[in-house]
Amino acid sequence: MELQNLVCAVTGSGKGLGKAIAEKFYAEGAKVVLWDRSGLAKEVMASLDPSGERTLYVRADVREEEQVQQAAAQIAAKFGRIDVLVNNAGISRHKPLAEMTVELWDEVIDTNLKGVFLCCKAIVPYMKEQKRGKIVNIASLGGRSGRNVGINYAASKAGVSGITKVLAKELGPSGIYSNAIAPGPILTEQTRQYPPEVFEGWNAGRAIIRDGLPEDVADLAVFLASRRSDWVTGTTIDINGGILIR
């Protein structure tokens, strides 16, 4: 098993990519922290490990520093260490510039970008104490290509890639790795709510015919969380079926 006994915290793990990553980590032997603000991740935890021996649920809003700090302390109190942080929690509020309000801008930036900053700030000290850790940030094709995803979402995800690079340089000497995954359109509960023609439009130019699945992203997250990626840091890896080939 790739992640045997590693303590892995996954934000936004109640559904979609976060849920798939948490489930894959658990299957690979990790002790998994299921973290969200809605309560859905608690149900995922119950389905994975009713005993709670290898899982922990924390309810915390990644936009709120005090809640994030308390969550990190809660994880350390149960497991004694934090080996992997997956910053997956994120939202989208697509609007063209003329309809974009300051409230919509702030909501997305605070969740997708400030949330990554606050979670790293809270958990990195534990990794430094261990002299090892892995940060896996979920970026997006929308922050890489300028596709029609809304300027707030694109800016937040481009910022995630920027944070990833800076942390890799800053934390590398402490044995801490920082990488990001930039998925293209993935079939999740959220994307299934859009009309099929919208989803097909997002996939225009794709080289691989089949749709992307949460499990595809989860497999890459396992690699970045494991020792197999010990010569990889500071990079954003595109996973989009060949939509973005450069």
Side-chain angles (χ1 to χ4, degrees):
M1 292 186 177
E2 298 286 351
L3 306 178
Q4 189 70 41
N5 293 323
L6 294 183
V7 177
C8 304
V10 184
T11 68
S13 48
K15 58 184 179 179
L17 297 185
K19 178 175 180 284
I21 291 169
E23 290 173 339
K24 184 73 72 170
F25 279 13
Y26 186 83
E28 291 291 341
K31 298 173 181 177
V32 181
V33 179
L34 295 112
W35 174 338
D36 72 358
R37 67 185 185 189
S38 69
L40 289 175
K42 192 172 186 178
E43 298 174 15
V44 178
M45 186 197 80
S47 68
L48 283 179
D49 178 28
S51 70
E53 183 179 352
R54 280 176 48 208
T55 56
L56 172 68
Y57 171 68
V58 294
R59 188 166 190 165
D61 188 333
V62 298
R63 301 172 297 181
E64 301 295 333
E65 183 174 14
E66 185 175 351
Q67 291 185 35
V68 172
Q69 290 286 343
Q70 288 174 352
Q74 190 178 346
I75 298 165
K78 174 161 183 174
F79 292 121
R81 58 187 296 116
I82 307 174
D83 298 293
V84 178
L85 167 64
V86 179
N87 283 305
N88 168 74
I91 60 172
S92 61
R93 300 288 186 266
H94 299 183
K95 291 288 183 182
L97 176 62
E99 299 174 26
M100 181 65 62
T101 65
V102 171
E103 290 75 21
L104 287 175
W105 173 272
D106 287 346
E107 185 181 7
V108 170
I109 295 295
D110 283 355
T111 302
N112 297 3
L113 192 57
K114 180 183 174 183
V116 172
F117 158 66
L118 290 178
C119 289
C120 289
K121 187 173 176 62
I123 286 177
V124 162
Y126 296 96
M127 294 180 172
K128 281 188 172 181
E129 190 174 335
Q130 299 156 194
K131 298 182 172 57
R132 183 172 178 84
K134 296 223 168 178
I135 298 167
V136 181
N137 297 320
I138 304 301
S140 172
L141 173 64
R144 305 275 280 171
S145 69
R147 292 167 71 90
N148 183 25
V149 293
I151 58 171
N152 50 0
Y153 186 82
S156 70
K157 291 302 186 177
V160 168
S161 292
I163 286 176
T164 299
K165 294 177 183 179
V166 173
L167 290 181
K169 285 278 192 181
E170 180 180 331
L171 303 177
S174 299
I176 300 170
Y177 299 73
S178 172
N179 290 290
I181 298 171
I186 301 290
L187 275 179
T188 63
E189 297 94 327
Q190 180 177 348
T191 58
R192 289 177 192 275
Q193 294 176 9
Y194 289 93
E197 61 271 18
V198 172
F199 192 74
E200 290 169 10
W202 290 340
N203 279 290
R206 190 175 61 189
I208 297 175
I209 299 303
R210 74 167 177 85
D211 289 324
L213 302 174
E215 292 75 19
D216 295 317
V217 178
D219 285 336
L220 181 52
V222 169
F223 169 72
L224 291 176
S226 75
R227 288 190 174 271
R228 290 183 182 271
S229 61
D230 276 5
W231 194 231
V232 180
T233 196
T235 189
T236 295
I237 300 177
D238 295 304
I239 177 170
N240 53 52
I243 294 173
L244 183 65
I245 297 176
R246 32 182 173 185

